[in-house]
Amino acid sequence: MEILGIDIGFGFTKATNGNESLVFKSVFGEATDVQFRELILADAAQDEHLQIDVDGKSYFLGELAERQSNVRFFTLDQGQFIAKFAKILALAAAARLVGGHIPINLVTGLPIGYYQKYKKDVAAILRGEHRVVLTDAAGQTKEKIININKVRVIPQPFGSMFNLMLNDLGELGDKRLVKEKIGIIDVGFRTSDYTISDKMRYSERGSRTTDSGIARAFNVIATKLREESGVNVELYRLYDAVDRGFIKIRGKEYDLKELTEQVFSQLASTVANEVDRLWADDWDIDTMVITGGGGAVLAKYLSPLLKGHVLPVDDASDARLNNVYGYRKFGKHLWARGVVPAPAKT
């Protein structure tokens, strides 16, 4: 049995089997025949080639779809995301990380605000036997049977909480956190999730999903670029540009540093205000945790605005993986606690 953690996010899909992790943009497109599959130069960067056939249709995913597909699919609508995106993205991740025919127990998450409405739908979409075909960068195909035996759907920010509290065997690691009241701020691409763990008890009063994700800041940047250049830049094509601090459109360079600082500061202020309102009665929180890919981006703007002790963000780790690491640890806790994982394949 293989235990997987998969986080199907609006911005990125993240997955881990404990030995290997995978992150790719939650974008897919129709697969096309690529006439020339070799690198133009040997020193060119080798991207992850994600191509999968699901239900008789062939798709490119992530960077491959962005570069090669004529028609690309990306959404910030939760209902559409569950109905049309979740299965393709999750199976692509699972197919990359596990062998065929091996039973899989899977843990995934949903934003708190959508948890009750969609948890059964997500489990039903993913559970069962799925026949897929993977195509590698050389055009070689391999058929796999993805057998998902059990699916556990949990509120999304619980992943970061379990990642802090559990070790890789699914056992309690940091017992101090188990005894404390912890506020978790999980900033994603589309949403921000807030929840409280009070000595391992969930607080409904202190938990909520809002629309204050990184996409709100990216929308402002995209609007400004459209006004100045006349080009509508897709949000998923802004990640690298924001990191670099500039973008080139039709040969002209647009500086993004000042605008990025401004919109991220505004978004951090919005998130801090939401925390103040939501946790007004929870003045006894011991520790606040900023997590998620968006959390890592906003941390330097957000931390000074929060009232209380904030756990420092580890710059050496990829915060996008915090939830998915926790999902897998929780899976170990549920189904294989204390079982030493097999060594990674070489």
Side-chain angles (χ1 to χ4, degrees), residues 18-317:
N19 295 319
E20 186 180 359
S21 298
L22 178 67
V23 179
F24 60 91
K25 290 181 181 178
S26 294
V27 179
F28 67 86
E30 297 175 352
T32 59
D33 290 330
V34 180
Q35 303 301 314
F36 185 77
R37 290 181 174 271
E38 299 174 25
L39 295 176
I40 295 175
L41 292 174
D43 293 336
Q46 182 71 59
D47 291 335
E48 182 79 40
H49 187 97
L50 282 173
Q51 180 178 350
I52 188 171
D53 289 28
V54 179
D55 298 332
K57 293 185 178 181
S58 188
Y59 302 99
F60 289 157
L61 295 102
E63 298 279 356
L64 183 62
E66 185 178 332
R67 187 172 61 250
Q68 301 285 12
S69 295
N70 291 319
V71 179
R72 297 173 298 277
F73 301 95
F74 172 80
T75 187
L76 295 179
D77 179 85
Q78 183 71 49
Q80 187 180 58
F81 192 75
I82 298 299
K84 298 181 180 180
F85 286 67
K87 182 179 179 180
I88 295 168
L89 298 172
L91 290 182
R96 263 284 282 106
L97 294 177
V98 299
H101 299 283
I102 299 173
I104 299 169
N105 284 1
L106 186 153
V107 179
T108 188
L110 281 168
I112 289 170
Y114 302 115
Y115 177 71
Q116 286 295 338
K117 184 174 181 179
Y118 291 110
K119 65 176 181 178
K120 291 182 180 178
D121 292 342
V122 170
I125 287 168
L126 300 181
R127 192 183 297 115
E129 190 173 278
H130 308 275
R131 187 181 300 272
V132 303
V133 177
L134 290 177
T135 303
D136 65 19
Q140 300 298 309
T141 60
K142 181 178 182 180
E143 184 175 282
K144 280 189 176 184
I145 304 296
I146 307 299
N147 181 16
I148 301 178
N149 182 37
K150 295 180 180 178
V151 178
R152 183 68 178 265
V153 184
I154 63 175
Q156 201 160 269
F158 283 15
S160 291
M161 181 176 69
F162 291 139
N163 188 41
L164 289 170
M165 294 179 176
L166 301 175
N167 61 25
D168 289 337
L169 299 181
E171 299 168 334
L172 285 175
D174 193 336
K175 294 182 173 60
R176 175 183 59 85
L177 293 175
V178 176
K179 299 175 182 177
E180 290 189 347
K181 187 171 185 178
I182 304 168
I184 300 172
I185 304 165
D186 181 6
V187 184
F189 189 72
R190 163 73 171 76
T191 62
S192 284
D193 273 292
Y194 310 97
T195 193
I196 288 175
S197 169
D198 189 355
K199 300 180 179 65
M200 288 300 292
R201 295 187 299 267
Y202 167 74
S203 167
E204 179 66 36
R205 180 189 70 203
S207 300
R208 187 171 301 168
T209 296
T210 72
D211 293 334
S212 303
I214 291 296
R216 178 180 287 192
F218 275 26
N219 265 315
V220 176
I221 296 172
T223 299
K224 185 69 172 176
L225 287 172
R226 184 170 63 248
E227 291 171 354
E228 295 184 2
S229 71
V231 173
N232 188 21
V233 180
E234 299 96 329
L235 298 188
Y236 59 83
R237 298 181 72 175
L238 283 174
Y239 296 114
D240 293 339
V242 168
D243 283 344
R244 288 193 308 265
F246 69 90
I247 189 171
K248 279 189 176 181
I249 301 176
R250 305 201 193 287
K252 182 178 179 180
E253 185 173 299
Y254 295 85
D255 186 85
L256 299 179
K257 292 178 183 176
E258 184 177 342
L259 179 58
T260 297
E261 289 279 326
Q262 179 184 338
V263 295
F264 281 174
S265 295
Q266 290 173 344
L267 182 58
S269 180
T270 298
V271 171
N273 288 336
E274 289 174 349
V275 168
D276 285 344
R277 288 194 300 269
L278 183 60
W279 294 345
D281 293 331
D282 295 291
W283 40 262
D284 55 342
I285 287 177
D286 294 293
T287 301
M288 284 182 276
V289 177
I290 302 172
T291 188
V297 170
L298 284 190
K300 72 174 184 177
Y301 308 94
L302 179 58
S303 294
L305 303 178
L306 297 174
K307 300 167 185 174
H309 176 253
V310 181
L311 199 68
V313 173
D314 183 3
D315 293 330
S317 65

